[in-house]
Amino acid sequence: MTMIKKGTAAELNVVVFENRDQLGQYAAEAVAEKINELLKSQQSVNIIFAAAASQNEFLATLIKLDVDWTRVNAFHMDEYIGLARGAKQHFSHFLSEKIFDRVPFANVFCLDGSASDTKAECERYEALLLKYPTDITCMGIGENTHLAFNDPYIADFNEDRLVKVVELAVESRQQQVNEDCFDTLDQVPEFAYTLSVPALLKAKYIYSMVPGSSKAQAVFYTLNDDISEKYPSTILRTLPNAYLLLDQDSFELVETEAEISPVLFD
């Protein structure tokens, strides 16, 4: 595979690949290696997965690699509220097709978007996250720099909750249309469960796979703007245990506008 750039932005490890296939292959091999390393010293590994098109190549490769999945517990990071039970747009459905039903996990813990009591559902899932502390978070970055559904200004870097209900930003809902998950904006639910930023970042290791030109502006903000809830993904720059994996398309604005904001790699 062709690695275009490798370095750090503050504490964050950044690697740029020629294309999204190479990004996905590298990410899968890195995550599989980390799982196997952790399993040498602990009984099980707990992983949070993201449901997004940005994860397709990564997940397709990961399920083919040599991992003892019977010692791995799986979580996901967000879920719509109000969709019909069994709707294909549920993030749990996406992940079931891509990985949850493809390998023999010890446990798969899903948020229930159809739960009648949202407060109780948040508490149930938070209890599971506390029972099975996160080892690895596999994530993306939204077009508006959200992490899970922690949209700009809704995100709270110091929040004490692990799971919450949020009203989705229009940009986040439009991204779901752009990725062909829904035909029109009015079909996208307005509310969702999301793991909070602290919940996502509790992991021992974080891998953020962000390919494609639609993410180029978000990547530029991530690497160059002030670290704040204005652009939630900027928090990744504070984490030496995090890896931001990009392709040439998602890196293109950083490359072309480097003279405007020279702090890229330390």
Side-chain angles (χ1 to χ4, degrees):
M1 66 187 68
T2 305
M3 192 179 295
I4 305 299
K5 285 182 180 292
K6 183 177 182 181
T8 57
E11 298 296 311
L12 175 64
N13 300 284
V14 182
V15 189
V16 185
F17 298 90
E18 184 173 356
N19 56 57
R20 62 188 300 149
D21 288 332
Q22 293 178 4
L23 186 166
Q25 179 182 343
Y26 178 92
E29 291 175 354
V31 170
E33 181 178 359
K34 185 59 64 177
I35 296 170
N36 290 331
E37 175 188 318
L38 291 169
L39 286 175
K40 292 178 182 178
S41 59
Q42 57 193 67
Q43 183 58 38
S44 61
V45 170
N46 307 311
I47 306 179
I48 299 171
F49 290 97
S54 62
Q55 309 298 297
N56 283 343
E57 293 80 8
F58 158 64
L59 294 173
T61 302
L62 183 62
I63 60 175
K64 300 174 184 177
L65 300 182
D66 184 16
V67 171
D68 184 359
W69 295 107
T70 65
R71 296 170 62 192
V72 178
N73 299 304
F75 290 80
H76 64 128
M77 59 183 58
D78 42 21
E79 186 58 275
Y80 293 119
I81 294 173
L83 282 180
R85 190 178 294 275
K88 65 179 182 179
Q89 293 93 342
H90 277 298
F91 292 133
S92 56
H93 177 85
F94 174 95
L95 285 169
S96 292
E97 288 193 332
K98 299 294 184 180
I99 188 168
F100 288 171
D101 291 345
R102 304 287 296 276
V103 297
F105 284 107
N107 294 286
V108 174
F109 300 112
C110 291
L111 283 156
D112 183 0
S114 302
S116 57
D117 186 335
T118 57
K119 182 175 183 293
E121 179 61 10
C122 289
E123 292 173 348
R124 179 190 73 85
Y125 211 66
E126 180 165 323
L128 288 168
L129 289 166
L130 292 171
K131 182 178 180 180
Y132 301 95
T134 307
D135 294 298
I136 299 172
T137 296
C138 300
M139 65 195 309
I141 292 173
E143 292 177 10
N144 67 351
T145 72
H146 69 220
L147 300 179
F149 271 139
N150 295 281
D151 286 318
Y153 300 112
I154 291 177
D156 182 347
F157 293 167
N158 299 303
E159 191 157 25
D160 56 6
R161 293 176 295 175
L162 298 182
V163 187
K164 61 182 179 179
V165 173
V166 293
E167 183 173 2
L168 301 179
V170 171
E171 295 86 352
S172 287
R173 295 173 63 222
Q174 183 61 48
Q175 180 179 328
Q176 304 304 314
V177 178
N178 297 345
E179 295 180 355
D180 297 324
C181 300
F182 296 87
D183 293 330
T184 60
L185 182 64
D186 63 344
Q187 294 177 349
V188 184
E190 296 182 6
F191 294 89
Y193 296 104
T194 186
L195 272 61
S196 65
V197 173
L200 297 170
L201 305 189
K202 280 180 177 290
K204 296 175 183 175
Y205 301 95
I206 298 165
Y207 298 88
S208 183
M209 286 64 80
V210 190
S213 58
S214 67
K215 302 295 179 69
Q217 188 65 69
V219 168
F220 181 79
Y221 290 141
T222 301
L223 294 178
N224 291 281
D225 213 87
D226 293 340
I227 296 171
S228 76
E229 286 90 346
K230 178 181 179 182
Y231 298 116
S233 57
T234 56
I235 191 65
L236 294 175
R237 299 213 312 274
T238 69
L239 304 173
N241 63 330
Y243 299 82
L244 179 63
L245 307 179
L246 310 171
D247 65 1
Q248 289 189 102
D249 290 337
S250 60
F251 190 68
E252 61 185 355
L253 290 184
V254 181
E255 193 83 288
T256 59
E257 298 185 24
E259 69 278 9
I260 298 173
S261 186
V263 180
L264 279 181
F265 301 111
D266 296 335

